[in-house]
Amino acid sequence: MPRPADPGLRERLVEAASAAFADAGYAGARLTDIAARAGVTKGGLYFHFAGKEELFFAVLDHWRERRRRLLRLPAAGGEPAATTLRAFLAGYLAFHFREPGAARVQRVLATELRAGFTARLREDDRQERRWLRAQLRELLLLGTQDGTLSAADPALAAFLLAAAVIGVVEQWQTAPLDVEPHCDEQLLATALAAPYTLGAAGERARRGGASAFRDLPGA
């Protein structure tokens, strides 16, 4: 009689692979070890994944979907858009600062695999950055409607904000000790959103952000 399918196996394999890639890098991770961590044979792994590259993409997808769930924009009519923009920027940064598994896998992507990007990896990265810019543009547009944000060109402003947070994350991934004193997600979010924030809240954000950064070690 055939053994019943294990509904949790794919998830265990992705979790095991995430740990293996984080610990050993892409080249050092062995499929046999990943299968053993998940409690199956290597054949059981191949039932779900064609090989290491497909498994690595599954790990990237796992962390991406988790990040998107955490950063899902609230329904209209809640907080002012300026507040939501700061929360979104802080949440994006905090996810990378606080999730060691995601951070290490992204570090593998940013260092070990960057020079050898396949077409699929390039497109994967492109789609993720498009998603980030779209979320930021939506918040900036909402802010122009509720009067809390101002951006003459929301698409350009979204591009600049996305470039800033991606740059922070990449610096933190590749040289964390050099930039860690500056990597407070709330301070960074306040400073990044300040140029687009209107009224007294924007003025406080600009003054507070500058003052906070002057007080940071190494600033």
Side-chain angles (χ1 to χ4, degrees):
M1 189 172 178
R3 178 182 294 181
D6 182 347
L9 176 55
R10 191 181 192 280
E11 184 176 347
R12 293 203 312 276
L13 285 167
V14 171
E15 290 176 354
S18 182
F21 289 130
D23 292 343
Y26 185 84
R30 298 174 64 241
L31 294 181
T32 302
D33 295 337
I34 292 170
R37 285 190 192 214
V40 294
T41 64
K42 192 173 180 180
L45 184 153
Y46 278 120
F47 181 80
H48 289 278
F49 300 100
K52 187 188 286 190
E53 182 175 308
E54 185 174 322
L55 189 51
F56 187 76
F57 275 106
V59 169
L60 292 178
D61 287 341
H62 163 77
W63 287 115
R64 178 180 301 111
E65 290 307 313
R66 185 168 176 179
R67 180 174 61 231
R68 289 189 181 190
R69 285 196 302 271
L70 289 171
L71 296 175
R72 186 172 291 128
L73 297 182
E79 294 282 349
T83 301
T84 305
L85 175 62
R86 288 193 296 273
F88 181 89
L89 292 168
Y92 185 92
L93 293 167
F95 178 85
H96 292 88
F97 296 161
R98 305 285 187 272
E99 288 283 3
R104 289 172 187 161
V105 169
Q106 285 293 326
R107 199 168 298 157
V108 170
L109 186 63
T111 54
E112 185 179 351
L113 298 181
R114 175 68 69 180
F117 257 17
T118 64
R120 186 177 174 188
L121 271 174
R122 283 193 297 273
E123 182 60 23
D124 192 70
D125 192 48
R126 181 184 182 193
Q127 292 301 327
E128 182 62 12
R129 297 186 184 211
R130 279 181 171 176
W131 171 84
L132 176 59
R133 292 194 300 271
Q135 304 305 295
L136 293 168
R137 181 175 179 273
E138 176 68 16
L139 286 170
L140 290 161
L141 288 170
L142 289 173
T144 63
Q145 294 169 14
D146 72 11
T148 61
L149 295 168
S150 176
D153 185 341
L156 175 60
F159 167 75
L160 293 172
L161 287 170
V165 293
I166 289 169
V168 168
V169 169
E170 288 185 349
Q171 289 187 71
W172 186 83
Q173 288 167 352
T174 54
L177 295 179
D178 291 346
V179 300
E180 188 172 6
H182 305 290
C183 289
D184 180 301
E185 64 271 10
Q186 296 296 337
L187 291 179
L188 287 168
T190 296
L192 290 171
Y196 308 102
T197 305
L198 292 174
E203 186 58 32
R204 284 195 304 272
R206 285 184 283 275
R207 288 201 309 266
S211 173
F213 276 105
R214 281 197 299 271
D215 293 338
L216 282 171

